[in-house]
Amino acid sequence: GIQVEQSPPDLILQEGANSTLRCNFSDSVNNLQWFHQNPWGQLINLFYIPSGTKQNGRLSATTVATERYSLLYISSSQTTDSGVYFCAVEAGANNLFFGTGTRLTVIP
Amino acid sequence: DTGVSQNPRHKITKRGQNVTFRCDPISEHNRLYWYRQTLGQGPEFLTYFQNEAQLEKSRLLSDRFSAERPKGSFSTLEIQRTEQGDSAMYLCASSPEVFGSGTRLTVV
C-alpha cells in the first residue's frame, strides 16, 4: 500500500507559538485528510484537502499533490491543541492510509 | 445523537476468550469502516461495508476476526480466541472521516 510519513514525530511548544507539521506520501492520492486525536482517543477531521490551501481559524493546511506532500500549520498554539495529528490519504481503495502521527504537546 | 457510537469503551479479556464490539454509525451514512490502532501507530484499515455488503477486507483481518452489518445499520466486530497481540484500540468510522471514540481491548 501507499506509504505515508509524518514529521516531526514529536513536538513540544510553548503556548502561543506557531508550528508546521509535514506529511509526505509515496504515490498519487484521491484525497488527503488531517485528523487530530485527543488524549481520549477521539479522531476529529480537521481538513479534507486533496490539493490547494484551506484555513479554519488558527489552523490551515496546504497540499501540493504534484510533489506528494501536505503541511498543517498551527498558529498561536493553545494547550487544547495537544494530542496526535494524523495525515491520512485515500488512494483508489475505499479506505484511508494513515501516517504514524505527530505528537504535539503545548505547555502553558 | 449525530455521532458514531461504539460500545463498549473498554474491554479486558483473558487470552482465548471471544469478544464482540458494536458500532452504531450516523444513520444516513451507508459506508462503515473498521480500523485497528496499536500504541504509537496510526489506525490501520480492517474492513469496509457499503450498506450490508462487506466489500473489502484487509490482510490484517485473520480468520479469527469476523465483521457483520445486518440490514446495513449497526455493525459488529468479533474476535475469536483472542491473543495478546489483539490488544489495541478498535475504531469504527461512518464515511471516511467521522470516527467513533473506539473500543480499547486489552487481552491478558
Side-chain angles (χ1 to χ4, degrees):
Chain A
I2 192 168
Q3 303 300 309
V4 182
E5 295 180 351
Q6 291 187 243
S7 59
D10 294 279
L11 187 57
I12 300 175
L13 295 177
Q14 198 78 40
E15 198 168 27
N18 303 330
S19 63
T20 302
L21 282 56
R22 186 177 180 104
C23 171
N24 293 332
F25 43 97
S26 61
D27 208 341
S28 300
V29 298
N30 297 336
N31 218 324
L32 185 144
Q33 299 186 49
W34 283 98
F35 289 88
H36 175 229
Q37 189 168 42
N38 66 24
W40 297 272
Q42 179 72 57
L43 273 166
I44 302 294
N45 174 269
L46 299 174
F47 292 102
Y48 200 65
I49 184 166
S51 63
T53 297
K54 290 186 178 179
Q55 180 151 10
N56 184 2
R58 296 181 296 102
L59 303 181
S60 64
T62 296
T63 297
V64 184
T66 53
E67 297 187 23
R68 300 181 184 169
Y69 74 89
S70 183
L71 302 173
L72 178 69
Y73 306 96
I74 304 174
S75 64
S76 305
S77 57
Q78 301 175 359
T79 55
T80 51
D81 295 332
S82 296
V84 184
Y85 289 82
F86 287 104
C87 167
V89 301
E90 199 176 334
N94 290 304
N95 59 275
L96 293 171
F97 291 91
F98 283 79
T100 51
T102 292
R103 180 173 298 278
L104 174 65
T105 304
V106 181
I107 54 177
Chain B
D1 186 7
T2 57
V4 177
S5 176
Q6 290 190 246
N7 288 288
R9 288 298 312 276
H10 304 274
K11 178 71 177 177
I12 300 174
T13 191
K14 290 185 178 178
R15 190 174 51 186
Q17 298 294 304
N18 299 344
V19 294
T20 300
F21 312 138
R22 176 175 171 130
C23 171
D24 287 272
I26 294 172
S27 57
E28 61 267 26
H29 287 179
N30 53 22
R31 291 182 290 170
L32 186 148
Y33 303 78
W34 284 98
Y35 288 81
R36 182 178 72 181
Q37 185 178 20
T38 53
L39 204 60
Q41 300 297 314
E44 296 172 290
F45 170 74
L46 291 178
T47 190
Y48 159 65
F49 288 86
Q50 176 91 17
N51 298 313
E52 68 274 13
Q54 187 174 19
L55 297 184
E56 285 191 44
K57 291 196 293 186
S58 160
R59 284 174 290 178
L60 292 174
L61 214 66
S62 76
D63 56 5
R64 296 184 298 105
F65 288 69
S66 63
E68 295 182 343
R69 194 182 181 198
K71 302 178 183 178
S73 56
F74 70 92
S75 177
T76 58
L77 178 68
E78 181 184 15
I79 309 174
Q80 296 182 328
R81 305 181 304 281
T82 52
E83 302 173 355
Q84 285 188 320
D86 296 331
S87 295
M89 174 80 87
Y90 290 85
L91 294 161
C92 175
S94 169
S95 82
E97 67 270 10
V98 183
F99 280 79
S101 299
T103 294
R104 182 170 296 283
L105 173 67
T106 303
V107 181
V108 297

